[in-house]
Amino acid sequence: MSDLRDLATQCATGWRTLAHAHARVLGVGVIETCVLAANVEGVRFAEARGFVEFDRYVVDGESDLWLDLRLESAAA
């Protein structure tokens, strides 16, 4: 399983598209990512590509809501 984390400095659509394509080439079956819920564009981008939310949380001591998203059968 691959765990790709969207960091604020790496949220460009091109980076995510490249990472997604590379995971497919490698035959990865599941891709997981976390996106800041306030990043509406990032959440829409992931959902448009088939990612589904499976968890949401706030890191201890923080106030930002994060979403964990999963794409099954990425190697299709």
Side-chain angles (χ1 to χ4, degrees), residues 12 22-23 30 38 41 69 76:
H22 185 65
V30 175
E41 188 176 311
L69 304 159

Side-chain angles (χ1 to χ4, degrees), residues 7 10-11 24-25 29 46 58 64 66:
L7 303 175
Q10 298 174 322
C11 282
R24 285 184 179 271
V25 168
V58 175
D64 293 326
W66 289 88

Side-chain angles (χ1 to χ4, degrees), residues 31-35 46 51-54 67-71:
I31 300 172
E32 291 183 358
T33 189
C34 66
V35 180
F51 283 82
V52 176
E53 179 183 333
F54 70 92
L67 307 178
D68 282 343
L69 304 159
R70 178 179 292 141
L71 177 65

Side-chain angles (χ1 to χ4, degrees), residues 15-27 31:
W15 182 87
R16 288 182 293 207
T17 300
L18 178 62
H20 184 237
H22 185 65
R24 285 184 179 271
V25 168
L26 293 175
I31 300 172

